[in-house]
Amino acid sequence: MPFFSAWLKQATEKQMKIFLSVWFITLFLPYCQEYISSYIGGTCAWNDYGTLYYFSGFSGYLLLGYYLKDRNKLSMKKTVVLSLILFSVGYAITYYGFRNMTSQPDITERQMELFFLYCSPNVFLMTVAWYLLIQKVKVTSPLIILALKNITKCGLGIYMVHYFAVGIGYLAIDRIDLPIFMRIPATALFVFIVSWCIVALFYKVLPKAAKWIMG
C-alpha cells in the first residue's frame, strides 16, 4: 500500500488508464484458462496471470476506486440506473455461472469457485456499481460519520483478522437455523461486526501497537 500510494501521487491520468485497461484484460484470464487454453499468456499452476502478472490482482480495485472517486459526473438518478444495470448483469453472470458449474458432476474446487473469483469481470461489474452508488450518498449524521471514520481506521485490521472469525460465524449462524438464502449475508455481517470489535478494542487498549500491527 505505501508503495502503491506513492505511485498514485505522481501517476498521470493516462498512466492510470493504461494500468486499468491491462488489469481489466486480466479479469478474463481465469475464464480463458477454463474454456480456451490452460496455458494462455504463459499462465501456469503458480501464475494465473502469465505475462500480465504485474497488472493483476486486488491492486486494480484500489486504483479503480481512486480513479472513479472524483470522475462520476452523472446525476443521482442516472447513477442509480447505471449501478442497477451493472450490478444485475454481474450478479446474473455469477449466479448462472455458479449454478451451471455445480450442476456438473466431478468438477474441481477451482471450477466450482470460478464464477465468484474476486478478480473476474462479473465481480468487477458489481464492484463498479457499488463504487458509483456510494459516491452519491451524502451522510450528515454525526454518529454515522464517526462510525464510518472508525471503520476506515480499522479497515486493514478488519481485513487481517476477519478470516479467523469466518469459521465461528458459520457455526453461529448455522445454529440459528436461518433460511438458506439469508445465511451468507448474516454470516458476513456477523464476521464484520466481530472483526471490527476486535480491532477497535485493540486500538483502544494498545493504540501505539495497533498502529503498527493493524495499519
Side-chain angles (χ1 to χ4, degrees):
M1 287 291 290
F3 294 104
F4 198 72
S5 299
W7 177 76
L8 281 178
K9 288 180 180 179
Q10 59 182 357
T12 64
E13 183 166 344
K14 182 179 179 181
Q15 289 172 331
M16 287 189 283
K17 284 182 177 179
I18 292 172
F19 188 102
L20 286 173
S21 298
V22 180
W23 172 73
F24 182 72
I25 295 173
T26 70
L27 301 179
F28 291 88
L29 290 180
Y31 296 137
C32 291
Q33 293 175 45
E34 178 66 27
Y35 296 109
I36 300 176
S37 170
S38 300
Y39 305 104
I40 190 168
T43 58
C44 58
W46 48 269
N47 182 0
D48 286 334
Y49 300 100
T51 308
L52 304 180
Y53 178 81
Y54 293 105
F55 292 88
S56 62
F58 296 113
S59 58
Y61 284 116
L62 297 174
L63 178 57
L64 181 66
Y66 180 86
Y67 183 80
L68 293 176
K69 182 167 66 76
D70 299 315
R71 289 175 172 80
N72 180 14
K73 306 301 181 183
L74 298 175
S75 65
M76 181 63 174
K77 183 178 180 180
K78 290 182 179 179
T79 298
V80 170
V81 172
L82 177 60
S83 296
L84 285 174
I85 293 172
L86 292 174
F87 190 88
S88 299
V89 172
Y91 186 89
I93 295 172
T94 304
Y95 178 82
Y96 288 107
F98 178 67
R99 186 176 179 181
N100 176 64
M101 279 296 186
T102 53
S103 67
Q104 301 177 33
D106 303 323
I107 61 168
T108 64
E109 183 178 348
R110 181 184 178 88
Q111 289 174 318
M112 185 179 69
E113 297 179 349
L114 179 64
F115 282 90
F116 55 88
L117 292 174
Y118 297 131
C119 294
S120 61
N122 39 304
V123 174
F124 164 81
L125 291 174
M126 291 186 282
T127 304
V128 171
W130 279 109
Y131 277 176
L132 296 176
L133 196 59
I134 290 175
Q135 287 174 6
K136 294 296 182 180
V137 176
K138 303 297 181 183
V139 180
T140 56
S141 168
L143 184 62
I144 295 177
I145 291 173
L146 186 64
L148 291 174
K149 183 178 179 180
N150 188 260
I151 291 173
T152 302
K153 178 182 178 181
C154 298
L156 181 60
I158 292 172
Y159 168 73
M160 291 170 63
V161 306
H162 86 280
Y163 187 77
F164 299 101
V166 170
I168 299 172
Y170 279 131
L171 292 174
I173 299 302
D174 190 52
R175 287 183 176 276
I176 300 175
D177 199 28
L178 289 174
I180 295 297
F181 73 93
M182 292 181 62
R183 291 191 181 187
I184 289 192
T187 302
L189 182 62
F190 176 87
V191 171
F192 169 72
I193 292 174
V194 169
S195 302
W196 183 16
C197 289
I198 291 172
V199 178
L201 181 63
F202 200 93
Y203 266 105
K204 191 173 184 64
V205 176
L206 298 168
K208 290 184 178 179
K211 181 179 179 181
W212 289 101
I213 297 174
M214 298 186 173

